[in-house]
Amino acid sequence: MSGSIASSGCLEYCMWASSAVVRRQLFLIRSLGGSCCRTHSHRMRGIQGANAVASETDAESIIRRVTPALDPIRYKGQAGKIAVIGGCREYTGAPYFAAISALKLGADLSHVFCTKDAATVIKSYSPELIVHPVLEESYSVRDDERDSVSAKVLAEVGKWMERFDCIVVGPGLGRDPFLMGCVSDIMRHARQLSIPIVIDGDGLFLVTNNLDLVCGNPLAVLTPNINEYKRLVEKALDCEVNDEDSTNQLQLLARRIDGVTILRKGKSDFISDGETVKSVSTFGSPRRCGGQGDILSGSVAVFISWARRHLLSTKEATGKSLSNPMVLGCIAGSALLRRAAALAFQNKKRATLTTDIIEYLGKSLEDICPAE
């Protein structure tokens, strides 16, 4: 299916060029054996602008809108139950950053499903996290056990799945083939249960090589950085990244993967569900320490859960994208991370670490949406 996505995506990307002049030039390019997508940025530059225009949103207003009030009548779990699927021998920090960020932002419960080798390490970082050592890697599974172990992993995760408001797949996951297969099954199960899923890190590597895992899923969010986005565009659209027409290309990419929401990380973050493109340009920090993407994925997961609950309770109708909880969650998560990063940098400058940014998540939210 991903092959057909790429081929049709290439054609659709060229359809925006609707003037007679553009059509004639595209015809000449094809006649000469060129690829309309790959040569577009070089041969068609300046002929006609894209249809999609990114609009800067009032992120603080969205944060106030979806953040639940602290109410004494609420019970544990109503402010969000988040799960992170990731963590292996080599990578224990990323799943911790994502899961603890969810708690620092205001989620009630945060789980991590990781390999046995990673579990003790992640537990040692914080007693606040619920850690499940259930994932397996190839080295620990015999060939004749693969099917039974895979089924057992899915069953162990599956018995918790219905409890979660959103899951995050990818932080610290690694690229072990057997583990990737197990996580694919987990993603399919989450989709069957209509549970939102935020995909980052090695989860994007998995999805890029198997677009069917998310294609047609409106409850999926992809959060690629510059290199991950490049691979997605090449896979889904069979094109190179076109920075001169970036908003239109992002919107098309979301459409080609059929309904997913994409948060393209960069100097400004751009978000599209295929309908419109929103941007978050608030300046964060010039310090680019590793782990900020993990904070983002955990934060987006929380805001998605809050936005879904808010929209269901109020039945708001304010336009497609701003009534899409996935878009709202991306906008809110992006803006809050940037604010926290800016505050951390003011204090620590070059010494700013991911843990410093996490400590400012609560203050950043409190400044925008006071608890009382």
Side-chain angles (χ1 to χ4, degrees):
M1 183 174 177
S2 58
S4 62
I5 289 174
S7 59
S8 58
C10 183
L11 293 173
E12 186 176 338
Y13 182 58
C14 297
M15 288 178 64
W16 68 267
S18 56
S19 71
V21 172
V22 173
R23 288 198 300 271
R24 284 196 295 272
Q25 293 199 33
L26 289 175
F27 174 76
L28 288 173
I29 290 171
R30 295 191 192 98
S31 299
L32 292 170
S35 168
C36 58
C37 282
R38 293 187 183 278
T39 57
H40 169 76
S41 61
H42 301 289
R43 302 190 184 192
M44 309 303 292
R45 188 173 297 160
I47 294 178
Q48 182 170 328
N51 294 326
V53 177
S55 59
E56 185 76 14
T57 56
D58 184 354
E60 291 191 5
S61 176
I62 289 173
I63 290 171
R64 294 188 194 99
R65 177 180 156 200
V66 304
T67 301
L70 293 178
D71 192 326
I73 67 171
R74 291 180 180 271
Y75 55 83
K76 182 175 67 178
Q78 284 190 304
K81 301 179 291 295
I82 307 301
V84 177
I85 314 295
C88 62
R89 285 183 297 171
E90 291 87 356
Y91 307 114
T92 58
Y96 165 75
F97 290 148
I100 201 68
S101 295
L103 287 181
K104 290 286 188 177
L105 194 56
D108 286 339
L109 296 168
S110 191
H111 297 244
V112 177
F113 292 84
C114 59
T115 65
K116 294 179 177 66
D117 292 325
T120 302
V121 180
I122 296 172
K123 284 181 180 181
S124 72
Y125 294 151
S126 172
E128 305 288 347
L129 303 179
I130 304 169
V131 182
H132 307 262
V134 299
L135 303 183
E136 299 282 359
E137 295 182 86
S138 299
Y139 77 92
S140 63
V141 182
R142 297 201 311 263
D143 289 344
D144 61 340
E145 295 178 328
R146 287 178 174 266
D147 290 344
S148 61
V149 172
S150 179
K152 182 180 178 181
V153 169
L154 180 59
E156 288 293 324
V157 180
K159 68 185 182 184
W160 290 88
M161 190 69 73
E162 290 186 354
R163 307 183 190 194
F164 300 133
D165 297 302
C166 188
I167 67 172
V168 180
V169 171
L173 185 63
R175 298 184 180 181
D176 179 80
F178 180 77
L179 180 53
M180 286 287 192
C182 293
V183 172
S184 297
D185 292 338
I186 293 169
M187 291 176 64
R188 294 186 186 99
H189 186 54
R191 183 172 183 172
Q192 290 172 354
L193 297 176
S194 297
I195 295 173
I197 180 170
V198 179
I199 304 167
D200 187 43
D202 290 320
L204 289 168
F205 176 82
L206 173 62
V207 164
T208 299
N209 290 293
N210 188 0
L211 290 172
D212 290 348
L213 286 172
V214 294
C215 187
N217 184 2
L219 296 179
V221 170
L222 311 182
T223 60
N225 60 25
I226 184 170
N227 291 318
E228 293 159 346
Y229 184 76
K230 178 177 181 289
R231 289 191 288 268
L232 267 175
V233 168
E234 290 174 347
K235 181 71 173 183
L237 298 181
D238 193 27
C239 297
E240 297 174 357
V241 173
N242 183 353
D243 290 326
E244 294 186 3
D245 191 20
S246 59
T247 55
N248 200 59
Q249 190 174 57
L250 174 61
Q251 184 176 19
L252 176 62
L253 180 62
R255 287 179 180 174
R256 292 313 310 154
I257 310 179
D258 194 14
V260 303
T261 297
I262 300 174
L263 192 168
R264 180 187 180 184
K265 296 180 288 194
K267 182 179 179 181
S268 294
D269 290 342
F270 291 93
I271 300 145
S272 181
D273 58 356
E275 296 293 332
T276 58
V277 181
K278 305 296 182 183
S279 64
V280 178
S281 302
T282 305
F283 182 73
S285 166
R287 175 79 166 102
R288 302 307 304 161
C289 53
Q292 293 184 65
D294 305 311
I295 300 176
L296 179 65
S297 62
S299 301
V300 167
V302 175
F303 277 118
I304 285 173
S305 70
W306 289 352
R308 290 188 88 202
R309 188 180 295 271
H310 172 76
L311 292 172
L312 286 172
S313 64
T314 60
K315 298 181 180 178
E316 288 185 11
T318 59
K320 284 186 177 181
S321 286
L322 290 184
S323 287
N324 181 345
M326 317 308 282
V327 173
L328 294 175
C330 288
I331 293 170
S334 170
L336 199 79
L337 168 58
R338 286 167 175 264
R339 187 182 185 95
L343 290 174
F345 183 75
Q346 285 177 12
N347 187 35
K348 294 296 186 73
K349 302 302 181 183
R350 293 182 186 274
T352 303
L353 299 177
T354 300
T355 48
D356 299 316
I357 299 172
I358 290 171
E359 289 306 311
Y360 279 99
L361 288 174
K363 175 174 171 47
S364 298
L365 183 57
E366 181 67 16
D367 289 344
I368 297 170
C369 187
E372 296 180 359

